Amino acid sequence: MIPIPLRHENMSARRWPIITLGLIVVNVIVFLLTFSKIEEELQAPQTSMAQEHILILAAIHPELKVPADIQEMIEVAKQRHPKLWERYANESVEIQDAWHAKITVMQSSDGLQEEMDSLVKEYEEWKASRPETILGKYAFVPAKPEPASYVTANFLHGGWLHLIFNMWFLWLAGFVLEDRWGRILYAIVYFLAGAAALQIHAWANPGSNIPALGASGAVAGLMGAFLVRFPFMKIKIALFYRLQPLTFDAQAIWLLPFWLINEFMGTLWGSMTGVAHWAHIGGFIFGALAALLLRVSGLEHKADQAIEAKLDKDVLTADPAIEEAGSLMEQGNFDGAISILNNYLATKPDSLDGYSMLQQAHWRKSDLPAYNEATIKLCAMHLKARDPQLAWQDYQDFLNTGGTKMPAATWLELCRAAENMQNFDRALSEYQKLVAAYPTEKQSLMAQIGAAKLCLKQNRAQEALTLYEAAKNSPIPHLDWEQTIEAGIRSAKAALSPQAAPALGTKAQGRGA
């Protein structure tokens, strides 16, 4: 069973993800133009008969002289297949063909050297013809990597499933990172991750003439960045067993490392499966490090501010205090900037600009508790401004830096915002967290009722009934909610009763029979 990600909690962006969509479109167009030709090339032998004969002859007669590049190919083969090499060297392997039978009885050293020279010439002629193919020109060949292939190989795919899976993962991880980093930084990381993945593949497969192709190394880089940037974001996964889907939610911090471990395990069988596992691993690690660097350096924050400016949202004003604080932050004087911003916010407590800069100042100072306080305030202000997407981004930042409990009132509004955005699973999950975190607060009771209504709307009557009854028995005063709770209990029981009637009827018919 292969786990397939269906969606994650943040399936929205502030603007069109032009780079991500462009990459997908280009990949699809290139695939349609090259698919039939690449399919023919992939079905053709990836090694020549001369190459195989060179290796057999070198194993039996290691004293024969060969050019340096051929000797390198021989050494790689010895390292990869030591047992098979030993069998050839001991001449204990079965005769493969007429040529093999011929050279096993040859005794003349001059004749053997002439045979090797002839095979080397034939192999060199075969290699010279490879660049004329699409794979030879544009795929990545570890034995002889062309500079352009570090880019072009990322746009070639060997089949429909290869393309579809890569593009789906690119969409899921890509558009949220593009929204957070901006188009330029995002594109740079994507292409560098693809190049890094191919280079690590080359280091793991020195001398290999097998072409590598596909966007999976670059996409793995986005997955690594996604893990660093959104570790606690939930991803809905589907497992298909006998065509029946089983779905569940898993946080990125659990799911993506599991994927990485599988890739490490895959390196044990990589040469047999044809999957470039080391490229995936290299891309993933590069993307994770790139995301960490962008966050720590403040480049991500600057890109985010630029996006907001273009959207006319949260634009930094020309207020002298804001400008002075920004100047101090550029000089590394975070304490001075924080002092100015606190004084400014004391007179203008509703300034999104002020709190946004204060949040960044605390981050640059590595003061996570103060950073989380500023993030909580920003979240509440974005909710008040009816910008739920930014509020949920604030909440995700809060969770990513170790936050656990939002203020009850803000948390409740977040739950309602998720429900309004049709993200019912996340809304229900957050309602339940709020109830557990604040069992004696009025917002806890309201969260129970909100969760119950949501369950009833989704035809989960038993869960709704449990929640309504818990609200009814709550020690929190709820006279003003009594009628709503009783009405909910009646609705939940009514929704359950039609399910019980058929069961009773079936049982009666069984006794009659």
Side-chain angles (χ1 to χ4, degrees):
M1 294 188 294
I2 301 176
I4 300 175
L6 301 178
R7 66 189 308 276
H8 51 68
E9 292 176 319
N10 186 17
M11 296 298 293
S12 60
R14 291 170 289 183
R15 57 181 183 170
W16 280 92
I18 292 175
I19 300 299
T20 301
L21 290 171
L23 287 170
I24 293 173
V25 169
V26 171
N27 272 279
V28 171
I29 292 174
V30 170
F31 177 77
L32 293 175
L33 293 175
T34 62
F35 169 60
S36 59
K37 184 64 176 176
I38 288 178
E39 188 176 32
E40 292 177 7
E41 294 176 15
L42 288 175
Q43 290 175 354
Q46 296 301 318
T47 59
S48 70
M49 186 62 70
Q51 182 181 6
E52 295 180 12
H53 287 172
I54 288 171
L55 296 175
I56 293 173
L57 188 55
I60 299 174
H61 296 284
E63 73 280 1
L64 297 177
K65 296 179 181 180
V66 295
D69 59 330
I70 301 298
Q71 186 62 44
E72 183 180 357
M73 179 185 75
I74 292 171
E75 293 300 324
V76 170
K78 288 171 65 176
Q79 293 174 9
R80 287 191 180 179
H81 309 288
K83 292 184 179 179
L84 183 59
W85 192 266
E86 186 178 349
R87 289 175 63 197
Y88 274 118
N90 294 332
E91 301 186 33
S92 59
V93 71
E94 294 181 4
I95 299 298
Q96 302 295 306
D97 51 27
W99 175 88
H100 191 190
K102 180 185 74 172
I103 61 105
T104 56
V105 297
M106 289 181 66
Q107 300 296 326
S108 169
S109 58
D110 290 341
L112 289 168
Q113 185 62 58
E114 288 178 7
E115 182 67 24
M116 177 63 84
D117 293 343
S118 175
L119 290 171
V120 168
K121 181 180 178 181
E122 181 182 344
Y123 174 62
E124 294 291 354
E125 290 175 352
W126 176 83
K127 277 207 311 180
S129 68
R130 299 293 287 173
E132 299 305 317
T133 66
I134 290 177
L135 293 178
K137 286 182 178 180
Y138 304 112
F140 181 84
V141 180
K144 192 177 180 181
E146 296 293 335
S149 67
Y150 283 94
V151 175
T152 57
N154 293 286
F155 291 96
L156 301 176
H157 291 86
W160 281 104
L161 286 180
H162 191 201
L163 174 74
I164 291 169
F165 273 98
N166 276 346
M167 294 304 98
W168 181 240
F169 279 79
L170 169 58
W171 170 251
L172 287 178
F175 82 89
V176 289
L177 290 170
E178 181 179 346
D179 186 61
R180 184 53 62 99
W181 288 345
R183 291 161 181 163
I184 295 175
L185 283 178
Y186 169 74
I188 290 172
V189 171
Y190 178 84
F191 284 107
L192 287 180
L198 291 170
Q199 183 57 56
I200 290 173
H201 172 69
W203 288 337
N205 299 274
S208 173
N209 285 293
I210 299 175
L213 64 158
S216 53
V219 173
L222 299 184
M223 293 167 64
F226 189 97
L227 174 62
V228 170
R229 194 59 193 82
F230 309 107
F232 300 108
M233 186 176 290
K234 289 183 179 179
I235 303 169
K236 184 172 286 295
I237 301 296
L239 288 174
F240 290 88
Y241 179 69
R242 294 182 179 178
L243 300 180
Q244 296 296 320
L246 171 66
T247 61
F248 63 92
D249 291 333
Q251 290 181 329
I253 198 171
W254 298 109
L255 183 66
L256 294 180
F258 177 76
W259 176 88
L260 185 62
I261 290 170
N262 278 339
E263 290 299 315
F264 273 110
M265 294 178 64
T267 60
L268 302 176
W269 302 280
S271 60
M272 293 183 287
T273 63
V275 177
H277 293 287
W278 279 113
H280 299 170
I281 294 168
F284 189 95
I285 293 174
F286 178 90
L289 293 176
L292 187 62
L293 178 63
L294 291 178
R295 188 76 186 273
V296 172
S297 67
L299 287 174
E300 178 185 301
H301 178 70
K302 291 180 180 178
D304 192 60
Q305 285 183 328
I307 293 170
E308 290 298 312
K310 290 179 181 179
L311 296 172
D312 291 326
K313 293 180 181 179
D314 300 344
V315 185
L316 290 178
T317 66
D319 191 289
I322 296 290
E323 291 184 349
E324 184 179 359
S327 177
L328 289 174
M329 284 180 62
E330 290 178 0
Q331 299 169 22
N333 186 355
F334 304 124
D335 288 331
I338 290 169
S339 176
I340 289 172
L341 289 169
N342 282 331
N343 291 334
Y344 173 75
L345 290 169
T347 58
K348 296 185 177 180
D350 295 327
S351 171
L352 278 166
D353 300 340
Y355 272 106
S356 179
M357 184 169 283
L358 181 64
Q359 179 199 44
Q360 185 60 22
H362 286 308
W363 174 260
R364 300 282 295 278
K365 189 184 174 184
S366 299
D367 188 349
L368 293 185
Y371 171 86
N372 281 339
E373 287 182 16
T375 303
I376 289 170
K377 183 64 178 178
L378 273 175
C379 183
M381 295 172 72
H382 283 138
L383 286 169
K384 185 178 179 180
R386 296 186 178 181
D387 198 335
Q389 292 181 6
L390 287 180
W392 271 99
Q393 288 182 10
D394 295 331
Y395 180 52
Q396 195 64 51
D397 287 341
F398 174 76
L399 295 177
N400 290 344
T401 51
T404 55
K405 292 172 57 175
M406 291 286 281
T410 303
W411 208 345
L412 184 63
E413 289 303 315
L414 272 172
C415 296
R416 291 169 173 169
E419 191 171 349
N420 291 334
M421 294 164 65
Q422 306 296 306
N423 194 344
F424 298 128
D425 289 341
R426 183 64 187 269
L428 184 58
S429 172
E430 296 299 330
Y431 274 134
Q432 292 169 338
K433 290 179 184 178
L434 172 55
V435 171
Y438 294 98
T440 61
E441 298 291 331
K442 184 176 181 181
Q443 286 82 5
S444 173
L445 176 66
M446 297 169 72
Q448 277 184 321
I449 295 172
K453 288 180 178 179
L454 186 54
C455 286
L456 201 55
K457 186 185 301 184
Q458 293 186 299
N459 298 319
R460 297 159 66 173
Q462 186 58 59
E463 293 179 59
L465 180 59
T466 300
L467 288 165
Y468 275 125
E469 289 179 340
K472 180 179 180 180
N473 297 322
S474 173
I476 302 171
H478 52 268
L479 288 177
D480 49 342
W481 289 97
E482 195 68 39
Q483 291 183 354
T484 300
I485 294 170
E486 291 294 343
I489 290 174
R490 289 194 298 272
S491 297
K493 288 182 177 180
L496 287 170
S497 60
Q499 300 173 7
L504 290 173
T506 302
K507 187 175 181 181
Q509 292 174 5
R511 283 202 300 266

